[in-house]
Amino acid sequence: MVANPGTRPTGSNFADFARTFWKKQGQNIMLPLIGVLVFLVVWQLLSSTGLTRLPGPLSLVTEQRTRELLLYPFYDLGGLDKGLFWQTMYSLGRVAKGYTAAAVVGIGLGILVGTNQTINKAVDPIFQFLRMIAPLAWVPISLIALQNVQQAAIFVIFITAVWPILINTTVGVQQIPQDYKNVARVLQISPRKYFFKVLIPSALPYIFTGLRIAIGLAWLAIIAAEIVMSGVIGIGFFIWNAYQNNYVSEVILAVFYIGAVGLLLDRAMAYLQRMILPEEQR
Amino acid sequence: MQMLKQVEAKSVAISQQPQGRSFLEIANVSKVYPTPKGPYPVLQGVNLSIKQGEFICLIGHSGCGKTTLLNMVSGFNQPSQGSVQLRGKPILKPGPDRMVVFQGYALLPWLTAFENVYLAVDSVHPKKLEAEKRAIVREHLAMVGLADAADKKPPQLSGGMKQRVAIARALAIRPEVLILDEPFGALDAITKEELQEELLKIWNDHRCTVLMITHDIDEALFLADRLVMMTNGPAATIGEVMEIPFPRPRDRTQIMEDPEYYDLRNHALDFLYNRFAHDDTE
Ligand SMILES: Nc1ncnc2c1ncn2[C@@H]1O[C@H](COP(=O)(O)OP(=O)(O)O)[C@@H](O)[C@H]1O
Ligand SMILES: [Mg+2]
């Protein structure tokens, strides 16, 4: 390589880059950071002045028990005594099972109901009724019906997450443009081809909308379910247990975990949606 | 030399004169739609006998029932009275022997131009070898001048290109009857003329029976063997059928120099705007 003094990258080039990067990204990064900071400061002030008995965010590091939980998320002393990472993973595992079941049943049933007007008329009132029942109300029902606490928790996830998937899939199938159906009829496309080349691609945006709403609901429901079920490893029961023992800052720490995981789940679904849906269908 | 060519062309045109009798027979067809305000008679006593290989254009004011009539040929619709028969058999449902170029193109947006045509060929000839089917698709895309755009998806194509794909898809399955519902209505004048010429050239080579709805008298005079003019609804019927005697293959500038062209044109205009004038302008 022949060094060319005219085009060699220089310090000033880097400064230019930094400046344009700042112009583009600075507001996107700095403004949210300032927002979070103000929120935390106001909260801390409210609790230090004694306006609320809720400890401020600083208690996460000043309380010894909480600090240990914060610093050692991976510890495992057997039984219920596990770090917050493991607690979260157990909860996520339940969500994964219940949500997968909800996706399979919701999409399958949604396609059936969406393609068959008679079935739709028969079951729509039941669905509309059942989807109004809050996750917490399902807990006693599922405990009685299933006897087993683990299964009952998964069932609560399932029953909470299945409605948005089911209803969005149904609508997606019903919304297939008449033009596409007409093409399929003239060409006498086989049912299998119709399913994969017309029905699924056409309904996919709706299915994804349902899946994305459902992942958030499933995560909300697991917390509710675990709180009531007691005696299971999981972030929801952890909160309940901490509250019973009056470890309030532990509750706050766990709530941060819950919020972060919920956000991550939603982002992950949005990413999946972007990856799978073709550009022209978003 | 020029003379010789014309003579040749004329003799070809004579040998290709449509043959056969009552290939497609529309006999005493009426169509009544039930509406909240009571039964609405759209068509009444429509009779038309179409020979194999004929090019028919259908003209009439908006809402008079042109689409309704052609839907009974494609099989999307059944007559309330009378019958529509192809080769003596009543038409009961849509089928690839009567392919339709739909008003809104009706291409699947998640498939490329190639895949859209392939889906049609594959559905109609499931037993053919894949290489053979791919060759048919390539041939027909090339025929409409879209060999280079085969891998583009409909949202990336212009209106004219989409219509070309729709025509390629329709022709690739070699229908006996080709039905076009205002195929060029949404296109600019230049694209429209290009596509008219391509359609005519393809029809000259393949000679399927064409039924085409249009709003454009010049288009009909350039393309059709006969122009079917419909009266206004309700209870619309065929008011007049005009023979268009220009020899084929037709040349646009040549027929427009023919004094008969203007007689025919004025006659059709008189039918539409004096004898069966429409109140609302559409
Ligand atoms: N499914 C239907 N139910 C009731 N009325 C209809 C239906 N389809 C069409 N019509 C009416 O029949 C008439 C003819 O429609 P159409 O065949 O689409 O006309 P054109 O294609 O000539 O514009 C219109 O008045 C339209 O409103
Ligand atoms: Mg119409």
Side-chain angles (χ1 to χ4, degrees), chain B residues 103-120:
Chain B
Q103 223 160 353
Y105 317 126
L107 300 172
L108 300 175
W110 44 85
L111 299 182
T112 63
F114 186 94
E115 289 164 341
N116 264 288
V117 181
Y118 188 87
L119 181 64

Side-chain angles (χ1 to χ4, degrees), chain B residues 67 70 100-103 179-184 211-213:
Chain B
T67 302
L70 290 203
V100 183
V101 173
F102 294 92
Q103 223 160 353
I179 295 166
L180 305 109
D181 194 341
E182 292 178 39
F184 310 135
L211 298 179
M212 173 169 151
I213 296 174

Side-chain angles (χ1 to χ4, degrees), chain A residues 263-275:
Chain A
L263 195 64
L264 281 177
L265 286 177
D266 185 67
R267 295 287 101 187
M269 269 316 289
Y271 176 76
L272 209 66
Q273 193 170 6
R274 257 202 318 282
M275 292 308 293

Side-chain angles (χ1 to χ4, degrees), chain B residues 101 113 117 136-150 157 160-172 178 184 191 194-195 197-203 206:
Chain B
V101 173
V117 181
I136 294 176
V137 176
R138 270 194 300 272
E139 177 201 331
H140 286 84
L141 281 174
M143 204 156 84
V144 295
L146 278 187
D148 293 334
L157 300 174
M161 289 161 98
K162 277 187 252 199
Q163 191 58 281
R164 286 185 161 94
V165 179
I167 290 173
R169 174 174 68 182
L171 293 168
L178 179 66
F184 310 135
T191 312
E194 273 173 20
L195 273 171
E197 260 146 51
E198 278 169 31
L199 178 65
L200 204 54
K201 196 173 141 287
I202 294 167
W203 176 77
H206 297 300

Side-chain angles (χ1 to χ4, degrees), chain B:
Chain B
M1 193 61 197
Q2 187 67 31
M3 271 304 287
L4 196 67
K5 259 197 189 141
Q6 273 186 18
V7 170
E8 254 174 27
K10 271 209 170 117
S11 69
V12 167
I14 289 161
S15 75
Q16 286 186 350
Q17 274 300 313
Q19 285 162 7
R21 221 157 266 263
S22 87
F23 166 73
L24 180 61
E25 189 78 33
I26 299 170
N28 208 18
V29 162
S30 301
K31 181 72 191 175
V32 182
Y33 278 122
T35 67
K37 288 184 222 148
Y40 177 79
V42 181
L43 297 170
Q44 192 153 37
V46 177
N47 286 292
L48 187 63
S49 203
I50 297 163
K51 281 167 273 182
Q52 188 167 14
E54 241 187 324
F55 199 128
I56 302 281
C57 275
L58 204 61
I59 209 162
H61 289 289
S62 214
C64 73
K66 304 179 294 293
T67 302
T68 304
L69 183 61
L70 290 203
N71 275 346
M72 290 189 270
V73 178
S74 54
F76 284 113
N77 221 327
Q78 302 293 323
S80 308
Q81 271 167 39
S83 71
V84 183
Q85 297 191 331
L86 183 69
R87 296 185 194 281
K89 288 203 194 86
I91 290 167
L92 300 174
K93 59 173 187 166
D97 55 331
R98 285 153 287 125
M99 185 57 185
V100 183
V101 173
F102 294 92
Q103 223 160 353
Y105 317 126
L107 300 172
L108 300 175
W110 44 85
L111 299 182
T112 63
F114 186 94
E115 289 164 341
N116 264 288
V117 181
Y118 188 87
L119 181 64
V121 175
D122 190 33
S123 300
V124 177
H125 307 291
K127 297 238 163 63
K128 275 200 169 128
L129 289 176
E130 192 187 325
E132 211 175 333
K133 289 185 275 196
R134 296 182 70 87
I136 294 176
V137 176
R138 270 194 300 272
E139 177 201 331
H140 286 84
L141 281 174
M143 204 156 84
V144 295
L146 278 187
D148 293 334
D151 293 326
K152 291 210 170 109
K153 290 184 180 172
Q156 298 165 272
L157 300 174
S158 68
M161 289 161 98
K162 277 187 252 199
Q163 191 58 281
R164 286 185 161 94
V165 179
I167 290 173
R169 174 174 68 182
L171 293 168
I173 61 171
R174 287 298 144 83
E176 282 195 293
V177 181
L178 179 66
I179 295 166
L180 305 109
D181 194 341
E182 292 178 39
F184 310 135
L187 305 177
D188 64 273
I190 293 171
T191 312
K192 190 170 165 168
E193 291 197 354
E194 273 173 20
L195 273 171
Q196 287 166 0
E197 260 146 51
E198 278 169 31
L199 178 65
L200 204 54
K201 196 173 141 287
I202 294 167
W203 176 77
N204 258 318
D205 296 342
H206 297 300
R207 281 301 158 120
C208 52
T209 307
V210 179
L211 298 179
M212 173 169 151
I213 296 174
T214 176
H215 271 140
D216 181 340
I217 293 173
D218 294 303
E219 177 171 284
L221 290 176
F222 178 51
L223 296 174
D225 292 314
R226 285 192 291 162
L227 173 59
V228 173
M229 293 180 273
M230 299 200 43
T231 63
N232 295 332
T237 189
I238 293 174
E240 201 174 307
V241 179
M242 187 163 133
E243 296 277 346
I244 302 168
F246 305 122
R248 297 183 188 271
R250 286 179 188 168
D251 177 275
R252 196 187 299 271
T253 46
Q254 213 172 350
I255 64 168
M256 284 176 88
E257 280 162 14
D258 195 327
E260 197 178 355
Y261 183 88
Y262 291 94
D263 293 341
L264 294 173
R265 194 171 187 276
N266 288 334
H267 189 83
L269 283 171
D270 179 56
F271 179 94
L272 282 177
Y273 297 105
N274 293 325
R275 289 161 59 197
F276 291 96
H278 210 251
D279 307 331
D280 50 29
T281 46
E282 259 172 324

Side-chain angles (χ1 to χ4, degrees), chain A residues 68-148:
Chain A
E68 276 171 10
L69 279 170
L70 184 65
L71 292 177
Y72 304 106
F74 301 109
Y75 85 86
D76 184 354
L77 296 179
L80 294 183
D81 197 4
K82 290 182 168 51
L84 280 177
F85 174 80
W86 297 117
Q87 305 276 0
T88 308
M89 286 318 275
Y90 270 83
S91 296
L92 272 176
R94 277 181 208 115
V95 167
K97 284 182 198 155
Y99 182 76
T100 307
V104 171
V105 172
I107 294 172
L109 215 54
I111 289 171
L112 187 71
V113 174
T115 41
N116 191 319
Q117 197 51 39
T118 315
I119 297 180
N120 184 29
K121 285 228 171 79
V123 296
D124 190 60
I126 305 175
F127 289 168
Q128 297 299 339
F129 174 80
L130 289 178
R131 83 187 173 95
M132 289 302 168
I133 299 169
L136 268 179
W138 285 107
V139 173
I141 293 174
S142 62
L143 279 172
I144 294 162
L146 294 167
Q147 305 289 327
N148 174 319

Side-chain angles (χ1 to χ4, degrees), chain A residues 17-61:
Chain A
F17 170 77
R19 213 171 296 130
T20 50
F21 181 80
W22 172 250
K23 255 191 209 145
K24 274 188 198 147
Q25 295 300 325
Q27 293 209 326
N28 292 346
I29 296 168
M30 278 316 281
L31 290 180
L33 271 181
I34 292 169
V36 169
L37 213 63
V38 169
F39 170 74
L40 292 177
V41 166
V42 169
W43 177 7
Q44 185 64 40
L45 285 177
L46 282 176
S47 29
S48 348
T49 53
L51 269 170
T52 169
R53 279 177 50 220
L54 187 71
L58 280 179
S59 72
L60 296 187
V61 277

